[in-house]
Amino acid sequence: MYRLKKLLTSLLYRLFRIKPKNGGWTSFAPLKIVPEYTVDMEKGQVTGVVKHAEKAYLTVIVDVANKKTVTKGSLKGIRKYTKPFKKSHYIEMVKGEAEFLLENEKP
């Protein structure tokens, strides 16, 4: 099946210059509001807080040892500043940074 598909795509390219569409697309946007991180080495937790004008809108607590995540708040009040990022993007961002921060904080 794979050889047939490869032959067909090669033939289409040679005859009509039609390239196969293998890729997708990615959108990039600048991150305007960056979470502030606090690392608790004793508990193995990282807390990420999304703030704007000194007010905390979203708090994400990641317990790396137990693989649990707790979120409090929302981005409703600052939606125009966080576009196109959503709450789930910030949660995933804090989760990703949590493991990295804990590894680098260890003595």
Side-chain angles (χ1 to χ4, degrees):
M1 183 69 178
Y2 175 74
R3 287 184 182 179
L4 181 62
K5 184 177 180 181
K6 192 171 180 177
L7 176 69
L8 181 62
T9 56
S10 175
L11 186 62
L12 286 173
Y13 180 74
R14 288 181 187 174
L15 293 176
F16 306 109
R17 299 289 181 213
I18 298 174
K19 294 182 181 179
K21 296 180 181 180
N22 293 344
W25 58 277
T26 302
S27 62
F28 293 96
L31 188 62
K32 297 174 186 169
I33 299 177
V34 180
E36 297 175 6
Y37 298 100
T38 306
V39 180
D40 185 1
M41 292 299 296
E42 294 175 7
K43 295 180 182 177
Q45 292 181 345
V46 175
T47 304
V49 180
V50 178
K51 291 182 179 180
H52 178 67
E54 299 302 320
K55 183 179 176 187
Y57 285 91
L58 179 66
T59 304
V60 181
I61 302 169
V62 180
D63 188 355
V64 177
N66 297 325
K67 297 183 180 181
K68 292 184 180 180
T69 305
V70 177
T71 59
K72 298 176 185 174
S74 70
L75 300 174
K76 270 187 177 176
I78 55 173
R79 190 171 288 152
K80 65 181 178 180
Y81 300 114
T82 60
K83 271 187 180 177
F85 297 102
K86 298 178 182 176
K87 183 177 177 179
S88 61
H89 291 108
Y90 278 98
I91 293 169
E92 290 300 319
M93 188 184 318
V94 173
K95 279 183 183 178
E97 288 289 324
E99 294 177 12
F100 176 77
L101 290 172
L102 281 176
E103 288 175 5
N104 290 339
E105 289 285 328
K106 289 184 180 177

